[in-house]
């Protein structure tokens, strides 16, 4: 194993670090993964991407897949893989029911989540973030989407994935990252690419509509 990490982009557009070992083929879900989330705006997304690189070096994660800056997001609710167009349309209609105003968040705890994900979450649970998450969860729970929900983990930002070594990383406090959430989206993730069937601005107006 060489002492210097190698950074690159694989043939599916996914960023990775390597310390000399070969990079395995990324395993993609059976069909696009569908979830509600909030993309992180610039320059905060670039800051989070740099933090992912720093933690990758610090823990010497040999096969880490880094989240690209343009895909940095807060995960709210997972809706599973390979959903039909009707399910996506339903998720768009349900997302459009959510009314809220912009809110501030603070992520300051580094944690290992399932699937080898190294994530940031909030140690004080960012009350406004929790309120938004619970409200969206309630709307989904009272809709035809309730049977699709696969992820009930608290809101978090995934910095990277390494199934081999991330599960052994102990949770700790880190330097806080703060920003304002101004929109959320329905996101299709597949093959290292994102599509956005619906995007909703948080303007607290009754006439909010999805940007298709």
């Amino acid at each position: 194993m060489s002492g210097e990490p190698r950074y690159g982009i694989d043939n599916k557009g996914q960023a990775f670090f390597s310390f000399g070992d070969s990079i395995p083929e990324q395993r993609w879900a059976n069909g696009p993964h569908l979830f509600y989330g909030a993309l992180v705006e610039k320059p905060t997304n670039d800051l989070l991407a740099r933090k992912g690189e720093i933690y990758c070096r610090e823990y010497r994660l040999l096969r880490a897949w880094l989240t690209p800056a343009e895909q940095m997001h807060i995960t709210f609710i997972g809706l599973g893989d390979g959903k039909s167009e009707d399910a996506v349309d339903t998720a768009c209609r349900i997302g459009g029911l959510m009314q809220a105003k912009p809110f501030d968040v603070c992520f300051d705890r580094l944690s290992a989540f399932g699937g080898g994900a190294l994530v940031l979450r909030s140690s004080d649970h960012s009350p406004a973030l929790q309120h938004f998450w619970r409200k969206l969860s309630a709307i989904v729970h009272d809709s035809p989407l309730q049977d699709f929900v696969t992820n009930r983990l608290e809101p978090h930002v995934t910095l990277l994935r390494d199934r081999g070594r991330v599960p052994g990383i102990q949770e700790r406090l880190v330097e806080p990252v703060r920003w304002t959430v101004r929109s959320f989206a329905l996101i299709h993730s597949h093959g290292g690419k994102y599509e956005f069937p619906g995007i909703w601005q948080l303007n607290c107006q009754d006439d909010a509509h999805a940007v298709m």
Side-chain angles (χ1 to χ4, degrees):
M1 182 175 65
S2 64
E4 294 298 324
R6 178 168 64 91
Y7 172 80
I9 304 293
D10 71 4
N11 59 6
K12 291 185 173 66
Q14 178 68 53
F16 64 80
F17 263 107
S18 171
F19 286 86
D21 294 355
S22 61
I23 299 300
E25 184 75 5
Q26 177 71 306
R27 296 178 180 178
W28 305 106
N30 183 22
H33 182 64
L34 188 67
F35 65 98
Y36 290 113
L39 286 175
V40 183
E41 299 176 357
K42 284 184 174 294
T44 308
N45 61 347
D46 293 320
L47 172 62
L48 291 170
R50 289 195 297 271
K51 286 185 176 294
E53 295 172 5
I54 290 170
Y55 296 136
C56 194
R57 293 190 185 99
E58 177 182 345
Y59 290 109
R60 297 185 66 81
L61 302 178
L62 305 182
R63 298 183 176 187
W65 301 86
L66 296 166
T67 303
E70 64 273 14
Q71 293 181 358
M72 281 292 173
H73 64 273
I74 304 173
T75 300
F76 292 132
I77 301 173
L79 297 174
D81 303 327
K83 292 294 178 286
S84 67
E85 288 300 319
D86 286 345
V88 174
D89 289 343
T90 298
C92 282
R93 291 197 298 272
I94 299 305
L97 298 176
M98 183 68 182
Q99 299 298 321
K101 61 183 179 181
F103 57 90
D104 296 333
V105 296
C106 175
F107 286 81
D108 61 351
R109 186 173 290 275
L110 189 69
S111 303
F113 273 16
L118 188 65
V119 309
L120 287 177
R121 62 186 188 87
S122 176
S123 62
D124 67 358
H125 304 295
S126 289
L129 172 61
Q130 289 293 314
H131 176 75
F132 179 90
W133 178 48
R134 288 194 297 268
K135 184 177 179 181
L136 179 60
S137 297
I139 291 174
V140 170
H141 179 74
D142 291 334
S143 79
L145 297 177
Q146 61 179 327
D147 293 335
F148 297 159
V149 175
T150 59
N151 177 12
R152 296 186 183 277
L153 294 172
E154 67 180 272
H156 59 278
V157 176
T158 299
L159 300 176
L160 58 85
R161 293 183 183 274
D162 185 323
R163 293 180 181 273
R165 299 189 64 180
V166 163
I169 294 176
Q170 296 297 310
E171 185 173 274
R172 75 185 216 215
L173 287 171
V174 294
E175 183 180 1
V177 182
R178 298 179 174 86
W179 70 93
T180 300
V181 176
R182 297 181 174 85
S183 67
F184 78 105
L186 180 66
I187 303 174
H188 250 161
S189 171
H190 187 53
K193 297 180 180 180
Y194 281 8
E195 296 179 353
F196 308 98
I199 301 175
W200 299 273
Q201 300 301 314
L202 302 182
N203 53 22
C204 211
Q205 294 178 2
D206 292 339
D207 59 351
H209 296 285
V211 179
M212 305 299 288

